């Protein structure tokens, strides 16, 4: 009987990937990590990656589904009538907080000298690989994790020594009962992305302290222990130069709540597990961070760090969606064959894989640029400065389509909330809105070209990758020519009245850079699949095509075929 049950389960026509280890099953990720991480660090992290991969495919995925179906609520008063606001989180979400913030240390590891048993500062790529695995199960919580990390970075970079000494220990603690979470309260109804229109006011008292008054319209993690807030100092300069950055504690030194209220929580399309709310500041006590009037410049550092994290999360969502589609196609049978044996499904899977693989290549490339920039290497900041908005702009837009198209592979079940597909689709739509809409981020790519001189640095970086990769000369030439044309388009967009080309130029730079980097990865790792994907990116996402002609890969792009032809000749 048991054997018959097992046979019946195996033959069940609805494939279910739940319980699969999302790390061990991802062999292409293993190749990339061997290429990008030092061998000793990779060996140390391997069991941690494996453990998180197992959780993401099982328990963590269950917790995420439960938290998504049971969103947080706002409690206004205690049962004795005290005005003690509290965001009530489902126990499933709290357990995910414990795992991410305490066990894994995702928000603190970049600021500690030891995490997960590794002595010394952990490189950014390790944090992003862990985030990449975590977000394949749970997206919403990764927002507070990223904001806490970014707030800590900004505080350390710009805060007064006494302010850093006072608050940093809680932000870097791994003790779940002591650690602090962060947030950023920036968006206003009228201002939005136009920071110069910020209306929230900051008044300095005679004792030197600051009081903040005003409304913030979209505040994720609204009950965070600390938030970075933009406000305009009274009697300050108009426009952007009058905006300053402040650190806002949730509780004051005596343990009482600070003088601001959560007006309501947002009823969101996605990230339902995590609270977002509207904040009214009523003379809240805050601490000036950095120079008065330099708020936007300082907040931009926090936003850019969050944008990179946003790109990582988009990459993770796409990987989960693609892996689900691949599993279904390999297991589901129709018309006497598995779906992945059918030419149209093979083509559809390729169209899903390309943006997903581009994104994780760009995650690795940008994480290395961040590490080099923090180490003070020449030109590294200029490279980071353009790679960050590139991945945020393109990967987040790609994730919306990839998650939707992957849902179609599952068919009718994919439309049912019992499966991961609807949650992936809902969460993916946030990426291209949050931390700057696509227009804003594309314009930031052009700003990096204008102000940081990032374009020649990006080209030099890509040229070095090409020089290090043994590619068929015709394919290498096609990559170089495409990059040159993309750079020329970006230069045109950077000239006066060229802003209308910003999105087109950003996409072109992203596709060329990712294709070159993927080709380099393929050459260094020996991945034939990765080389093919790099070629397909150039062929389908960059070069002109006749929509009425069959696809054909240029024969001279294949080094093996070229060598064979030369041998015959």
């Amino acid at each position: 009987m048991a054997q018959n049950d097992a046979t019946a389960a195996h033959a069940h026509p609805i494939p279910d990937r739940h319980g699969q280890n999302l790390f061990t099953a991802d062999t292409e990720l293993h190749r990339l990590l061997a290429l990008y991480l030092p061998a000793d660090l990779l060996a140390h992290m391997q069991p941690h990656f494996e453990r998180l991969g197992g959780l993401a495919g099982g328990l963590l995925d269950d917790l995420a589904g439960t938290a998504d179906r049971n969103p947080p609520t706002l409690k206004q008063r205690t049962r004795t009538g005290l005005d003690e606001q509290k965001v009530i989180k489902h126990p499933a979400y709290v357990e995910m907080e414990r795992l991410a913030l305490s066990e894994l240390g995702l928000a603190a590891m970049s600021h500690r000298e030891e995490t997960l048993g590794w002595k010394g500062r952990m490189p950014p790529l390790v944090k992003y690989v862990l985030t990449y695995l975590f977000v394949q199960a749970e997206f919403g919580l990764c927002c507070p994790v990223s904001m806490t990390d970014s707030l800590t970075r900004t505080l350390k970079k710009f805060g007064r020594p006494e302010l850093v000494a006072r608050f940093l220990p809680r932000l870097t603690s791994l003790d779940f009962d002591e650690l602090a979470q962060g947030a950023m309260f920036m968006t206003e109804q009228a201002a939005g992305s136009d920071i110069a229109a910020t209306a929230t006011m900051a008044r300095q008292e005679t004792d030197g302290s600051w009081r903040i008054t005003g409304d913030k319209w979209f505040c994720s993690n609204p009950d965070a222990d600390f938030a970075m807030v933009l406000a305009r100092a009274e009697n300050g300069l108009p426009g952007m130069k009058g905006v300053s950055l402040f650190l806002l504690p949730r509780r004051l030194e005596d343990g009482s709540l600070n003088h601001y209220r959560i007006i309501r929580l947002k009823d969101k399309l996605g990230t339902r597990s995590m609270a977002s709310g509207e904040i009214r500041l009523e003379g809240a006590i805050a601490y000036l961070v950095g120079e008065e009037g330099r708020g936007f410049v300082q907040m931009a550092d926090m936003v850019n760090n969050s944008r990179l994290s946003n790109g990582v999360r988009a990459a993770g969502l796409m990987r989960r969606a693609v892996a689900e589609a691949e599993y279904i196609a390999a297991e589901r049978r129709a018309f006497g064959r598995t779906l992945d044996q059918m030419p149209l499904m093979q083509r559809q899977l390729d169209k899903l894989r390309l943006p997903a693989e581009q994104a994780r290549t760009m995650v690795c490339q940008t994480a290395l640029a961040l590490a080099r920039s923090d180490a003070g290497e020449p030109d590294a900041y200029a490279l980071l400065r353009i790679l960050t908005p590139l991945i945020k702009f393109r990967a987040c837009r790609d994730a919306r389509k990839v998650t939707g198209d992957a849902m179609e592979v599952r068919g009718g079940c994919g439309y049912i909330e019992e499966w991961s597909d609807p949650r992936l689709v809902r969460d993916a739509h946030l990426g291209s809105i949050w931390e700057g809409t696509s227009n804003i981020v594309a314009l930031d790519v052009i700003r990096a070209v204008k102000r940081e001189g990032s374009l020649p640095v990006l080209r030099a970086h890509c040229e070095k990758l090409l020089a290090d990769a043994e590619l068929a000369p015709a394919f290498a030439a096609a990559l170089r020519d495409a990059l040159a044309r993309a750079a020329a388009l970006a230069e045109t967009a950077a000239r006066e009245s060229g802003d209308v080309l910003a999105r087109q130029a950003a996409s072109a730079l992203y596709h060329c850079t990712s294709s070159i980097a993927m080709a380099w990865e393929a050459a260094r790792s020996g991945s034939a699949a990765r080389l093919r994907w790099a070629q397909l990116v150039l062929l389908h996402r960059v070069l002109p095509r006749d929509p009425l002609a069959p696809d054909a890969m240029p024969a001279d792009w294949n080094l093996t075929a070229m060598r064979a032809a030369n041998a015959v000749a």
Side-chain angles (χ1 to χ4, degrees):
M1 184 67 178
Q3 185 176 0
N4 290 339
D5 288 345
T7 303
H10 179 72
H12 191 66
I14 307 295
D16 189 349
R17 184 169 170 254
H18 185 74
Q20 189 177 81
N21 188 302
L22 304 193
F23 176 76
T24 57
D26 191 354
T27 54
E28 198 64 29
L29 178 58
H30 301 171
R31 291 176 183 267
L32 293 178
L33 295 182
L35 189 59
Y36 282 101
L37 287 179
D40 58 341
L41 179 56
L42 177 55
H44 179 85
M45 289 304 303
Q46 186 82 13
H48 296 289
F49 292 152
E50 290 175 357
R51 176 173 179 264
L52 180 53
L55 289 170
L59 176 62
L60 182 57
D61 197 44
D62 290 336
L63 293 172
T66 300
D68 183 71
R69 292 187 294 273
N70 296 274
T73 57
L74 180 62
K75 184 178 180 181
Q76 296 285 2
R77 310 182 89 189
T78 69
R79 65 182 183 180
T80 61
L82 297 178
D83 287 329
E84 289 273 351
Q85 284 191 321
K86 185 178 181 180
V87 174
I88 307 299
K89 305 170 184 177
H90 192 275
Y93 185 84
V94 176
E95 177 59 19
M96 292 193 295
E97 286 183 311
R98 188 193 62 77
L99 176 62
L101 298 165
S102 181
E103 280 197 34
L104 294 172
L106 287 180
M109 68 168 51
S110 292
H111 316 287
R112 293 174 55 87
E113 293 303 321
E114 179 182 353
T115 314
L116 298 174
W118 179 258
K119 302 289 185 181
R121 192 65 56 86
M122 198 74 86
L125 184 56
V126 170
K127 173 181 67 182
Y128 292 133
V129 171
L130 291 167
T131 302
Y132 179 81
L133 291 169
F134 195 99
V135 79
Q136 290 183 49
E138 165 61 13
F139 184 90
L141 174 60
C142 288
C143 170
V145 168
S146 171
M147 290 193 297
T148 305
D149 177 26
S150 300
L151 180 147
T152 305
R153 178 184 173 92
T154 302
L155 178 63
K156 287 166 59 182
K157 189 171 183 177
F158 299 110
R160 299 188 311 275
E162 60 271 23
L163 201 62
V164 175
R166 181 176 171 187
F167 296 121
L168 188 63
R170 286 194 64 202
L171 289 164
T172 57
S173 173
L174 300 183
D175 184 328
F176 192 58
D177 295 325
E178 295 294 331
L179 62 83
Q181 293 190 38
M184 48 198 294
F185 299 168
M186 184 167 60
T187 307
E188 298 181 9
Q189 284 179 312
S193 296
D194 184 5
I195 303 302
T198 296
T200 299
M201 300 301 297
R203 183 184 74 253
Q204 189 169 24
E205 302 294 300
T206 54
D207 62 0
S209 64
W210 290 85
R211 297 273 187 161
I212 302 183
T213 303
D215 282 11
K216 294 295 183 179
W217 178 243
F218 206 108
C219 305
S220 289
N221 209 23
D223 63 335
D225 301 280
F226 300 101
M228 287 291 184
V229 181
L230 288 177
R232 183 176 303 283
E234 282 187 344
N235 304 317
L237 294 172
M240 195 79 78
K241 293 181 179 179
V243 178
S244 298
L245 182 63
F246 297 87
L247 181 68
L248 178 77
R250 178 63 174 147
R251 292 189 177 272
L252 303 176
E253 290 186 43
D254 63 2
S256 63
L257 289 171
N258 203 348
H259 308 294
Y260 66 91
R261 296 185 59 78
I262 304 170
I263 302 303
R264 63 171 177 170
L265 298 184
K266 301 286 193 180
D267 184 9
K268 297 175 294 181
L269 172 68
T271 64
R272 293 177 179 173
S273 63
M274 181 268 302
S276 299
E278 299 163 22
I279 299 288
R280 176 160 296 158
L281 300 141
E282 301 167 325
I285 295 172
Y287 304 93
L288 180 67
V289 176
E291 296 179 47
E292 187 177 339
R294 297 275 294 170
F296 174 74
V297 174
Q298 292 158 182
M299 177 64 94
D301 186 80
M302 182 174 180
V303 168
N304 281 332
N305 203 52
S306 294
R307 282 177 176 170
L308 173 52
S309 178
N310 204 308
V312 174
R313 281 170 269 159
L317 287 180
M318 283 192 279
R319 171 59 200 169
R320 173 68 188 273
V322 171
E324 291 288 328
E326 289 175 333
Y327 182 83
I328 295 157
E331 297 293 327
R332 174 85 167 164
R333 297 188 64 85
F335 310 109
R337 293 182 289 174
T338 57
L339 300 185
D340 63 0
Q341 293 175 320
M342 300 177 182
L344 272 180
M345 180 57 72
Q346 292 168 0
R347 182 181 175 88
Q348 186 176 356
L349 291 175
D350 265 343
K351 292 174 75 172
L352 295 174
R353 290 182 186 116
L354 290 191
E357 294 299 336
Q358 284 180 271
R360 67 169 163 188
T361 286
M362 293 294 277
V363 166
C364 294
Q365 290 286 316
T366 312
L368 290 194
L370 174 59
R372 290 176 50 213
S373 177
D374 285 348
E377 290 187 25
D379 290 335
Y381 176 74
L383 180 61
L384 174 68
R385 184 63 187 81
I386 194 168
L387 288 179
T388 297
L390 280 177
I391 189 173
K392 200 283 182 184
F393 167 68
R394 192 67 258 167
C396 291
R397 291 196 61 78
D398 285 345
R400 291 161 52 173
K401 180 169 176 54
V402 169
T403 54
D405 287 355
M407 173 190 285
E408 183 181 348
V409 177
R410 199 186 297 276
C413 286
Y415 200 65
I416 305 303
E417 290 282 355
E418 290 178 310
W419 299 86
S420 61
D421 308 74
R423 181 156 44 95
L424 293 176
V425 171
R426 288 189 276 105
D427 288 348
H429 276 72
L430 179 60
S432 54
I433 300 172
W434 173 18
E435 307 293 17
T437 61
S438 299
N439 285 349
I440 292 295
V441 180
L443 289 169
D444 196 42
V445 172
I446 305 306
R447 192 175 297 112
V449 172
K450 289 180 180 178
R451 298 183 184 178
E452 274 77 38
S454 293
L455 196 55
V457 176
L458 178 65
R459 292 189 69 178
H461 176 71
C462 289
E463 282 293 341
K464 185 176 186 305
L465 293 176
L466 282 171
D468 289 344
E470 186 184 6
L471 302 174
F475 180 45
L479 288 168
R480 285 191 173 94
D481 179 66
L483 179 63
R485 292 175 61 199
L489 182 63
E491 287 170 350
T492 301
R495 290 197 288 269
E496 188 174 354
S497 302
D499 282 355
V500 70
L501 297 173
R503 292 171 72 116
Q504 186 180 350
S507 290
L509 287 174
Y510 178 87
H511 295 322
C512 290
T513 301
S514 59
S515 182
I516 289 169
M518 290 169 74
W520 172 82
E521 291 166 344
R524 296 293 296 272
S525 69
S527 172
R530 201 152 207 84
L531 178 60
R532 177 172 169 272
W533 294 332
Q535 293 169 338
L536 288 174
V537 168
L538 186 61
L539 191 64
H540 288 278
R541 309 200 79 184
V542 179
L543 298 183
R545 296 172 57 234
D546 181 353
L548 302 182
D551 289 336
M553 186 80 72
D556 56 0
W557 282 14
N558 189 313
L559 189 61
T560 303
M562 184 193 71
R563 286 172 173 168
N566 290 340
V568 171

